[in-house]
Amino acid sequence: MTDERSSAASDEQRSDVHDPAGDATADASAKSDENEAGEAFTIADFHDASQQAGRPVLTAAAVSRALELPHEEASDRLETLAESGSLERLSVSTDPVVWYPSELEDLTDRERVVVFPKRREIIVDRPDQFTRAQLSQFAHLADANGEDGYRYVVRPEDVWSTPHDSFEDLARTMRQALGQRSEPLEEWVESQWDRAHQFRLVTHEEGYTVLEAQTPEIMGNVARQKLDEEHVHAPISETEDWVREGSEAAIKRILYEAGYPVQDHRELASGEELSIDLNVRLRDYQQNWVDRFAEAGEGVFVGPPGSGKTVAAMGAMAHVEGETLVLVPSRDLAQQWADAMVEYTSLEPHQIGQYHGGRKEVRPVTIATYQIAGMDRHRSLFDDREWGLVIFDECQHVPSDVYRRSTHLQSKHRLGLSASPIREDDRQTEIFTLVGPPIGTDWEALFEAGFVAEPELEIRYVPWGDDEQANAYGSADGREKYRIAAKNRGKIDEVRYLLSAHPDAKAIVFVDYLEQGRELSDALEVPFLSGETPHHERRRLLEEFRRDERDLLIISRVGDEGIDLPTADLAIVASGLGGSRRQGTQRAGRTMRPAGGALVYVLATRGTREEDFARKQLQHLGRKGMTIREQTVERDAE
């Protein structure tokens, strides 16, 4: 069991005060007399008190009243029983210590917390939303559906990005979440807290940037060992270095990788003021994201598709009230951002510009593609304007060599958005050094609260459609094996079967290969939307799907991130599991909306490497709280 700070604990405290069982009964008096005569206090005595109180968890005060013992004596006897293993104790932050029988551990449905300080792991059985919210402020949810309960890991970066003003505030949150004080864990967390406050970037009174260290030792032994003339001009003092213009992001990244995140306190220009009001009320967790962003001045909103990251970003815009640059992966997303801003904010269409291959407009709010913003011939247009806020949509792209050039743009505030900030090249830490620390709510909490519907996800292992492909697979090598398995023609029959099993569903079929998409398009007589589809045709097809004028689309990789797909009831992933874990998140996420009842089927050719890809690439979704089933298709191909 863990800290009972919930209303249940408060109710228990009130019932202790007004409990009619506090009036001594004849049986209780007799029991008290026996105890005063020197007879040992046993678990049976505790059960008697528990029966009178009508609950299995008691404070020492409740035992004292029920058995007519002095409070101090009741506490001593409870301690003795605890030492013998018959009772367990729990310190509650808003209540006295409570006691319960040890065997209750195996019977209770209440949450329980176990801390492993050396591994910096926290195992929680049946955590409530309050506990998860507290844990998310200093720990990472590593596994959400294992037999051993929810597994949290406290990593350095979790402590570095905690939204607390002091270590004392952070320690208080930890004790509330854990229901206890773990001194070894707190000592390690405090050491990481100190690391996160050793360096900071500030603006000198003459306008240039200075790197400051807490002590001469930390400056000499860390910063001046890691940085060179590419990053700093010269020392100003024992604890200050003059920073070369444009090297701020590199300094932050280098020191972050050395284990010392830099606090950015530069007085950056906020741009022209721009009044922005929201036309929609933020959900509680979205408001929490915005509040944490407002406190830090930067960050990355991390949440599942459908959790409203775009709307929350507009909440951040309303907070900053400055000219804003939004960077997106494609022109389709640029148009969708523009439409959403008109719908959800007080901005007028003439205040919103788009800058990409199709349009060239720089306005108080400008939406540009990463590629354009990183080109030398266009960058001056963005560099010359003082942005109050730069938003990096799908910011998992930022560490790539092409996209990261856009992070050199200076602004007072930076905000990233990502459903899954995972990179197969393990450069995801760069996302948080180039943009800001992660800010989010664990997926399971959003599933339980009903804000996002948890889709049912099933991996279906499909037999070969014909012997020709099966034989080709057997003689192929390396990547070619995966390609043949992914394009298994037996999947066409399986897609037909799944669509017929859900005749009323709006469905999206994902493919990785153009040839496979065309084959499915011909077989099902439905459009295939790919990178070759003209932009106006894409918009028409997607709008027809949104308006329920069309209930089935086949989509290539262009649907993973480049466009905002409409909500679907059914998603069938016919191929694509050889891609990234992020791709699995995006495709499964196309059904994550509040409506509920969504289904995701992932097809993998039975007995091939595609089976392993399917399990591996979707494993992290299971750790986020999604339930994943597996089914072998026995039906023979016709």
Side-chain angles (χ1 to χ4, degrees), residues 160 252-260 429-430 433:
W160 298 345
K252 291 169 71 175
R253 184 181 70 256
I254 291 169
L255 293 181
Y256 187 99
E257 291 171 350
Y260 292 90
T429 57
E430 293 188 33
T433 60

Side-chain angles (χ1 to χ4, degrees), residues 368-538:
T369 59
Y370 284 102
Q371 294 89 338
I372 288 286
M375 291 181 182
D376 290 336
R377 66 178 182 273
H378 298 292
R379 277 188 59 197
S380 61
L381 290 170
F382 304 113
D383 281 332
D384 292 343
R385 201 174 191 115
E386 294 180 344
W387 303 103
L389 172 65
V390 176
I391 297 176
F392 301 85
D393 195 10
E394 304 289 359
C395 69
Q396 62 273 5
H397 295 296
V398 162
S400 69
D401 294 333
V402 174
Y403 283 32
R404 71 181 300 150
R405 297 184 68 186
S406 63
T407 63
H408 296 163
L409 294 165
Q410 294 301 304
S411 66
K412 187 174 182 64
H413 301 285
R414 292 176 174 221
L415 175 64
L417 309 180
S418 181
S420 185
I422 299 170
R423 291 185 59 86
E424 305 309 308
D425 57 10
D426 293 325
R427 292 171 68 182
Q428 54 261 31
T429 57
E430 293 188 33
I431 297 171
F432 306 126
T433 60
L434 294 169
V435 181
I439 298 171
T441 303
D442 73 73
W443 292 31
E444 182 75 5
L446 299 182
F447 292 155
E448 285 195 7
F451 289 122
V452 179
E454 176 186 359
E456 297 179 32
L457 198 154
E458 182 173 289
I459 306 173
R460 296 179 67 82
Y461 302 113
V462 181
W464 287 105
D466 56 53
D467 292 339
E468 179 185 353
Q469 283 187 311
N471 293 334
Y473 178 87
S475 60
D477 294 319
R479 183 70 182 176
E480 183 65 12
K481 275 186 176 290
Y482 170 76
R483 188 187 65 80
I484 295 171
K487 295 167 64 175
N488 172 16
R489 283 187 285 274
K491 294 180 179 180
I492 296 177
D493 291 330
E494 186 61 21
V495 171
R496 279 202 186 100
Y497 168 77
L498 292 172
L499 292 174
S500 66
H502 306 284
D504 299 325
K506 289 181 64 176
I508 296 175
V509 180
F510 290 99
V511 298
D512 244 23
Y513 297 93
L514 295 178
E515 180 185 348
Q516 183 184 34
R518 296 186 190 107
E519 289 181 353
L520 276 166
S521 177
D522 292 341
L524 302 175
E525 297 182 345
V526 296
F528 173 40
L529 195 157
S530 72
E532 297 178 347
T533 309
H535 287 282
H536 71 274
E537 181 69 5
R538 288 190 206 175

Side-chain angles (χ1 to χ4, degrees), residues 3-6 8-14 16-17 59 90-98:
D3 182 349
E4 299 190 28
R5 349 152 253 295
S6 62
S10 299
D11 292 343
E12 183 176 298
Q13 183 180 21
R14 286 192 294 272
D16 281 349
V17 175
T59 63
L90 177 67
S91 298
V92 182
S93 61
T94 57
D95 212 354
V97 172
V98 294

Side-chain angles (χ1 to χ4, degrees), residues 226-274:
K226 298 290 184 180
L227 306 176
D228 54 33
E229 61 273 9
E230 293 182 13
H231 308 109
V232 294
H233 288 288
I236 300 174
S237 71
E238 289 185 327
T239 59
E240 298 172 305
D241 276 0
W242 178 7
V243 173
R244 286 189 180 275
E245 185 176 356
S247 66
E248 293 88 353
I251 289 173
K252 291 169 71 175
R253 184 181 70 256
I254 291 169
L255 293 181
Y256 187 99
E257 291 171 350
Y260 292 90
V262 179
Q263 303 288 313
D264 196 338
H265 294 289
R266 289 175 291 165
E267 297 174 3
L268 296 172
S270 59
E272 296 293 329
E273 289 188 5
L274 180 64

